[in-house]
Amino acid sequence: MNMDMKTAVITGVNGQDGSYLSELLLAKGYRVVGLKRRTSTINTGRIDHLMPNPNFVMRYYDLHDASCINRTFDEFRPDEVYNLAAQSHVAVSFELPEYTSDGICRGTLNLLEAVRRVSPSHECRYYQASSSEMYGDSLPTEETGFNEKSPLCPVSPYAVAKVYAHHMTQTYRKAYGIHASCGILFNHESPRRGETFVTRKITMAAAKIRHGLQKELRLGNLDARRDWGHAKDYVEAMWLMLQQPKGDDYIVATGQTHSIREFLDEVFAYADLGDWKQYVRFDARFLRANEVPFLLGDSTKARQTLGWRPKYDMRKLAQSMYRSDQAMIASAQVAY
Ligand code: NDP
Ligand code: GDR
């Protein structure tokens, strides 16, 4: 190994963001240590193409297990740690509140303690995946949307746990001088987005309807508004945060908000399927005990301090997700 090479540890490496961040860091010449939990079925589809790269190393771990985190830190002495792992589905967090909270809260604390332990001899920078869900059911007071100073009003077990992890990261930054940053990322999607999140559910359904493989799409609340960007753009912001002289908090968002209806309009028009109302059925099973009605982020600080800019807006994002799902389904049909 080249001694000048930086080492980054990524938790949740096989998730959407973990896969894009690994690609970015490998392209920048990092050694990437990807942490993945053991599952009974193989779920490395997003990172299989990285496995042959000698600078990409995988280790098993779990957010609930501090000993494996400490062993990994001792073995690799990371320069940067990106904590991306979480049970990240908001609706599921109402069904699994204890599991979701324990992983996010204790997992974050375990990592911060591991950074604190190695930091006196070896400066290690830390990234925390904070979320726009932390703003909950409040509305922004500014027209430009929520900013880093807006009050946090979480309304799901997932969001409450993310607030804990956010404050704990700030606390370790203040108390121990750790270079720790919180990226308050608004919704970001991609062709690699999990299939149960609303955008991917919609693009997959449109592609299947187009190929005659699905007749209807069942959804919950269509009135919620989200500030949707592309995950590939957002992992760049994560990296930029850790290149700054000091740790800080940054909103990462496009600055545009759209309803689920508008996302449906975009995808079904692009797929040339006519009016989506022909296919979409309301299903109360997809409603949540509490809803986050409106998200819009003001990323002025990230734009000014990090020089970050998103390349994708909702329209370009929706089209790229649909194209990818359409191609995947078309090739599967050829195969069978
Ligand atoms: P994904 O759900 O795609 O990936 C989450 C990752 O965490 C997966 O690798 C998953 O493993 C892993 N994980 C879950 N539970 C555990 C556990 N107990 N131990 C170890 N690993 C675990 O999420 P994203 O990539 O979309 O998001 C990355 C992070 O950013 C998450 O923390 C999310 O909460 C946060 N975030 C995401 C936003 C978004 O819009 N995407 C916006 C704001 C914040 P497995 O595959 O085995 O389940
Ligand atoms: P979100 O994303 O909860 O914002 O969390 P999701 O795509 O799950 O929901 C967005 C909005 O769509 C509404 N909705 C549905 N959602 C899903 N999943 N399935 C449906 O059938 C459906 N019908 C309507 C929801 O009610 C909601 O209003 C994501 C995750 O990535 C979090 O980890 C992250 O922190 C936040 O984004 C920012």
Side-chain angles (χ1 to χ4, degrees), residues 102-120:
D102 197 40
I104 293 174
C105 300
R106 199 136 59 85
T108 302
L109 192 49
N110 289 343
L111 279 158
L112 286 166
E113 271 298 303
V115 169
R116 180 182 165 202
R117 196 170 60 85
V118 296
S119 264

Side-chain angles (χ1 to χ4, degrees), residues 88 131 158 187 193 196 198 201 220-221 224 226 260 288 291:
S88 73
S131 166
Y158 166 84
N187 296 55
R193 183 60 144 153
T196 61
V198 78
K201 192 170 164 182
N221 176 20
R226 292 289 182 271
I260 318 291
R288 296 168 183 191
E291 178 62 289

